[in-house]
Amino acid sequence: MASIKDVANLAGVGLGTASRALSGKGYVAPETKRKIEEAARKLSYTPNVFAQNLLKNRSGIIGILVPALDHCFFSRLVQELESDLYKKGYKTMLCCTVSGGHGEEDYLDMLENNLVDGIITATHSFNDEAYLRSKRVVVSFDRDFGGHIPMVRSDHKAAGRMAAEHFIDRGCKKILNIYGEDAREGHISVGMAHRELKDCLEAAGIQVLEEYTRQDKFDMGYYSEIAGRCLERYRDVDGVFASDPLAEAFLWEGERRGKKIPQDLKIISYDGTEMTRSISPRISAIVQQIDKISQDLTNILTRRIQGEEIPEDKITEILWRQGETC
Amino acid sequence: MASIKDVANLAGVGLGTASRALSGKGYVAPETKRKIEEAARKLSYTPNVFAQNLLKNRSGIIGILVPALDHCFFSRLVQELESDLYKKGYKTMLCCTVSGGHGEEDYLDMLENNLVDGIITATHSFNDEAYLRSKRVVVSFDRDFGGHIPMVRSDHKAAGRMAAEHFIDRGCKKILNIYGEDAREGHISVGMAHRELKDCLEAAGIQVLEEYTRQDKFDMGYYSEIAGRCLERYRDVDGVFASDPLAEAFLWEGERRGKKIPQDLKIISYDGTEMTRSISPRISAIVQQIDKISQDLTNILTRRIQGEEIPEDKITEILWRQGETC
DNA sequence: GTGAAAGCGCTAACAA
DNA sequence: TTGTTAGCGCTTTCAC
């Protein structure tokens, strides 16, 4: 636990000189510098980050809020964010707001206490004021706070249209459009995709049924239950649009009930994470480009931290990936 | 950005009194306390964590090192750890050592700089000295450092034996035993399961083939390639023991090649995460109890941070979950 | 080019 | 019971 004072003493110089030599800024004679560096090495000196933080009033830590990691979309996103943040010199503090049983506000309080330099939030609850009040830099994924908080999201309208085109193209007559109940309201942007799908399909004279899932459960048990129930209730549905894990649940539950896929039931999933192409049959998907989303989120955040006024929102293109379910 | 000094001034008291009133330790007259709290509220005072950290020389942050989050075992583990740590009053700093392209040592340096109070490591590389040198409290998952670093792991020997029993029970004649190349060496404990499986099977006169996977790739593309190659090379293998995602790859690649499962090929996966039971057919698995593992890791870590000398290692029971592949 | 001193915001010991 | 003071370890003026 050698301090810079110890280094200065051992090198026989003043404490300020040692600081300048080790931080590399300010004039130090080469010879003096050498002595100081040697002393530092001898004492295996390592600067105390806490003191540096206090002085600079920043920690180099970014807080990431996600509902949970057992939803593959979020674990991918977090992994990507962590990597991008590291490259920019930031560390990642992880907060899972649903799975741990403690909520968003607990975390916000914690983060607010000066601990983090900025926050990336990708959660689904509704206490917007807490964020708007925040003195930290905040960037949002897929959630519109309406205030000064920038948002990054995929081009959901294009996604909805694209899904509709594929269903129409395949001659579907009755589509089940199923998504999170919170996305109904408008705060969560992904709802746009589902609304656009509905509009496009109905304009083409195709019947659309809607169902909503809870946003505090991400396990396959829950998704299977939902899929099973829907398939029992709507026997003549011939197309489903749902997020990856739910789409997978429809795939298995459909097959269990003797449906041929894609002949009897077409499935398009939204997100297009790894799981949709690692199973057999591969699920046809509209892909959110998580790598680009992560880059946009981290770019906007770090530039804002440095005081730049970055344009508010950023919309990322979506892609179609042909699978075997539509 | 009001400081405690501002609060003290506004309340017309000394700075020490304000500190005592707000932290709740030390004598303060009720009336004075009320005044101070009111002042704090007016200024919306929130204590500066950096100053507290500097003073206490601790941050309340735990660093978690995992190879990546796109391997379902690790995303589940991290989620569980984050939740358990939060309950114990710690925050979680996430470090993905493989996926980000920057290694374990970069992170260790970073964490070593006093930033974290302790480290939970679940990575697979071999620079043991860096950990043994660490001045921070370290607890390891599934990796034996040989020194003073405690390890938490599943009962791999029992797992290997259990898998062997099931293969024998089903009348298998030729088993493919496939696992990470780093687990061969002995540092990574999970290798014990595979060694035990081999021993048990050979003792029963069953032929065992071995293959090894790279430890810097976790994507299904890689796993599918491996599974496909193995199935081509070893046409008469009738049983496979592999970790979850690889087991899934064997399932699909086997089916693609016209194998009936489990009739032609029995598959047992190790870890038994969600994915093995969310697909159809469900994969028969030996389950690592991630919730218990997380509890043990966080318990040992936090008690060590508080200076307790906790018994070195902790071994968690494994479970069998019957699926439809064995 | 270098050393001394001030101060980041807080807590804890010591006087009063 | 309360106010004052001395640091925690570092960086950054500002004289020398």
Side-chain angles (χ1 to χ4, degrees):
Chain A
M1 290 292 192
S3 77
I4 199 167
K5 203 170 161 187
D6 301 325
V7 175
N9 286 344
L10 182 60
V13 300
L15 165 160
T17 313
S19 172
R20 261 168 289 146
L22 294 170
S23 68
K25 24 181 120 166
Y27 303 104
V28 184
E31 174 56 16
T32 323
K33 184 166 181 179
R34 208 197 43 73
K35 274 198 308 193
I36 293 171
E37 281 167 348
E38 193 186 312
R41 204 160 16 78
K42 262 188 195 149
L43 297 170
S44 66
Y45 165 78
T46 151
N48 183 319
V49 190
F50 299 152
Q52 293 177 324
N53 287 350
L54 175 57
L55 217 52
K56 300 199 192 117
N57 195 38
R58 39 154 292 170
S59 62
I61 300 176
I62 303 295
I64 297 184
L65 278 77
V66 290
L69 289 185
D70 50 12
H71 192 296
C72 50
F73 182 84
F74 291 114
S75 60
R76 276 280 301 136
L77 179 63
V78 168
Q79 170 163 316
E80 210 69 31
L81 287 171
E82 192 272 346
S83 171
D84 287 344
L85 287 173
Y86 186 94
K87 285 176 197 147
K88 291 186 191 313
Y90 287 93
K91 298 137 226 152
T92 296
M93 172 152 288
L94 177 68
C95 308
C96 303
T97 57
V98 169
S99 56
H102 35 262
E104 218 165 331
E105 297 200 63
D106 299 329
Y107 279 113
L108 266 186
D109 284 349
M110 179 184 98
L111 299 175
E112 214 48 47
N113 274 355
N114 296 342
L115 223 175
V116 297
D117 297 344
I119 294 171
I120 294 174
T121 178
T123 55
H124 284 184
S125 52
F126 288 123
N127 49 340
D128 289 20
E129 304 83 18
Y131 284 101
L132 293 169
R133 247 187 289 120
S134 174
K135 283 147 290 179
R136 300 280 139 187
V137 177
V138 178
V139 178
S140 151
F141 168 70
D142 210 56
R143 174 159 151 209
D144 186 6
F145 285 93
H148 54 280
I149 296 176
M151 167 178 56
V152 173
R153 63 170 174 87
S154 290
D155 189 347
H156 295 304
K157 265 198 132 158
R161 215 174 312 125
M162 188 183 278
E165 282 163 12
H166 281 275
F167 282 130
I168 294 169
D169 209 50
R170 295 291 184 281
C172 290
K173 295 275 169 275
K174 196 167 188 176
I175 302 295
L176 176 60
N177 187 23
I178 179 165
Y179 54 108
E181 56 190 3
D182 52 1
R184 274 171 96 169
E185 321 260 342
H187 295 266
I188 306 301
S189 311
V190 73
M192 293 171 67
H194 295 271
R195 283 190 293 276
E196 181 73 11
L197 173 71
K198 184 178 155 86
D199 291 347
C200 290
L201 288 175
E202 288 181 343
I206 293 174
Q207 193 182 347
V208 179
L209 301 168
E210 302 229 315
E211 286 285 335
Y212 311 97
T213 59
R214 291 172 56 175
Q215 287 299 301
D216 55 350
K217 302 191 92 170
F218 299 98
D219 60 296
M220 279 309 270
Y222 173 64
Y223 289 133
S224 297
E225 185 196 316
I226 296 276
R229 205 189 310 148
C230 287
L231 289 172
E232 296 298 339
R233 191 178 318 168
Y234 311 118
R235 305 241 172 185
D236 51 349
V237 156
D238 56 5
V240 176
F241 183 60
S243 80
D244 287 354
L246 188 50
E248 186 178 312
F250 271 97
L251 175 58
W252 306 135
E253 293 299 320
E255 288 189 339
R256 270 190 46 186
R257 286 169 176 73
K259 283 192 188 286
K260 292 253 174 298
I261 293 174
Q263 294 84 339
D264 304 339
L265 182 67
K266 321 248 184 291
I267 301 174
I268 297 178
S269 77
Y270 196 23
D271 287 359
T273 53
E274 189 65 26
M275 63 182 290
T276 59
R277 58 173 163 188
S278 70
I279 60 176
S280 175
R282 294 189 301 281
I283 299 177
S284 300
I286 292 168
V287 182
Q288 296 204 50
Q289 300 187 75
I290 298 184
D291 51 346
K292 293 207 175 152
I293 288 170
S294 168
Q295 279 167 26
D296 290 338
L297 284 168
T298 53
N299 273 336
I300 294 177
L301 185 73
T302 52
R303 291 172 67 185
R304 285 215 165 205
I305 288 174
Q306 280 149 32
E308 281 187 65
E309 270 306 324
I310 302 298
E312 288 289 296
D313 296 355
K314 178 97 185 182
I315 293 172
T316 308
E317 201 191 352
I318 48 87
L319 306 174
W320 170 256
R321 195 177 54 228
Q322 184 65 52
E324 301 155 61
T325 61
C326 179
Chain B
M1 289 288 195
S3 76
I4 199 167
K5 204 170 161 187
D6 301 325
V7 176
N9 286 344
L10 182 60
V13 300
L15 167 158
T17 313
S19 172
R20 262 169 287 145
L22 294 170
S23 67
K25 23 182 122 169
Y27 304 104
V28 184
E31 174 56 14
T32 324
K33 186 167 179 180
R34 208 196 43 73
K35 273 198 308 190
I36 293 170
E37 282 167 347
E38 193 186 313
R41 204 159 18 78
K42 261 188 195 151
L43 297 171
S44 67
Y45 165 78
T46 150
N48 183 320
V49 191
F50 299 152
Q52 293 176 324
N53 287 350
L54 175 57
L55 215 54
K56 300 200 190 115
N57 195 36
R58 40 155 291 171
S59 63
I61 300 176
I62 303 296
I64 297 185
L65 277 77
V66 290
L69 289 185
D70 50 12
H71 192 296
C72 51
F73 182 83
F74 292 114
S75 60
R76 275 280 302 138
L77 179 64
V78 168
Q79 170 163 317
E80 210 69 31
L81 287 171
E82 192 272 346
S83 170
D84 287 344
L85 286 173
Y86 187 93
K87 285 178 198 146
K88 291 185 190 314
Y90 287 93
K91 298 137 227 154
T92 296
M93 173 151 285
L94 178 68
C95 307
C96 303
T97 57
V98 169
S99 56
H102 34 260
E104 218 165 331
E105 298 200 60
D106 298 328
Y107 278 114
L108 265 186
D109 284 348
M110 180 184 99
L111 298 176
E112 214 48 49
N113 273 355
N114 296 341
L115 224 177
V116 297
D117 297 343
I119 295 171
I120 294 175
T121 179
T123 55
H124 284 184
S125 52
F126 288 123
N127 48 341
D128 289 20
E129 305 81 19
Y131 284 101
L132 292 169
R133 247 187 289 120
S134 175
K135 284 148 289 179
R136 299 282 139 186
V137 177
V138 178
V139 179
S140 152
F141 168 70
D142 210 57
R143 174 158 151 210
D144 186 6
F145 286 92
H148 55 279
I149 296 176
M151 167 177 56
V152 173
R153 62 170 175 88
S154 289
D155 188 347
H156 295 304
K157 265 199 131 158
R161 216 173 310 125
M162 188 183 279
E165 282 165 12
H166 282 275
F167 283 130
I168 294 170
D169 208 50
R170 294 292 184 283
C172 290
K173 296 275 170 274
K174 195 168 189 176
I175 301 295
L176 176 60
N177 188 24
I178 178 165
Y179 55 107
E181 57 190 3
D182 52 0
R184 274 171 95 169
E185 320 261 342
H187 294 264
I188 306 301
S189 310
V190 71
M192 294 171 66
H194 295 270
R195 284 191 293 276
E196 181 72 11
L197 172 71
K198 185 177 154 87
D199 292 348
C200 290
L201 288 176
E202 289 181 343
I206 294 173
Q207 194 182 346
V208 179
L209 301 167
E210 302 230 316
E211 286 285 336
Y212 311 97
T213 58
R214 291 173 54 177
Q215 288 299 300
D216 54 350
K217 301 190 94 173
F218 299 98
D219 60 295
M220 279 309 270
Y222 172 64
Y223 288 133
S224 297
E225 185 196 317
I226 295 276
R229 205 190 310 148
C230 287
L231 288 172
E232 296 299 337
R233 190 178 317 167
Y234 312 117
R235 304 245 174 184
D236 52 349
V237 155
D238 56 5
V240 176
F241 184 59
S243 80
D244 286 353
L246 188 50
E248 186 178 311
F250 271 97
L251 175 59
W252 305 134
E253 294 298 321
E255 288 190 339
R256 270 189 47 184
R257 286 167 175 73
K259 283 192 188 286
K260 291 254 174 298
I261 294 175
Q263 294 84 340
D264 304 340
L265 182 67
K266 320 247 184 291
I267 301 173
I268 297 178
S269 77
Y270 195 23
D271 287 359
T273 53
E274 190 64 25
M275 63 183 291
T276 59
R277 58 174 163 186
S278 70
I279 60 176
S280 175
R282 292 189 303 280
I283 300 177
S284 301
I286 292 168
V287 181
Q288 296 205 50
Q289 300 187 75
I290 298 184
D291 52 345
K292 292 207 175 150
I293 288 170
S294 168
Q295 280 166 24
D296 290 338
L297 285 167
T298 53
N299 273 335
I300 294 176
L301 185 74
T302 53
R303 291 172 65 185
R304 284 215 166 204
I305 288 173
Q306 280 148 31
E308 281 187 65
E309 270 306 324
I310 304 297
E312 288 288 296
D313 295 355
K314 178 95 185 185
I315 294 173
T316 308
E317 201 191 352
I318 49 87
L319 306 174
W320 170 256
R321 195 177 52 227
Q322 184 65 51
E324 302 154 61
T325 62
C326 180

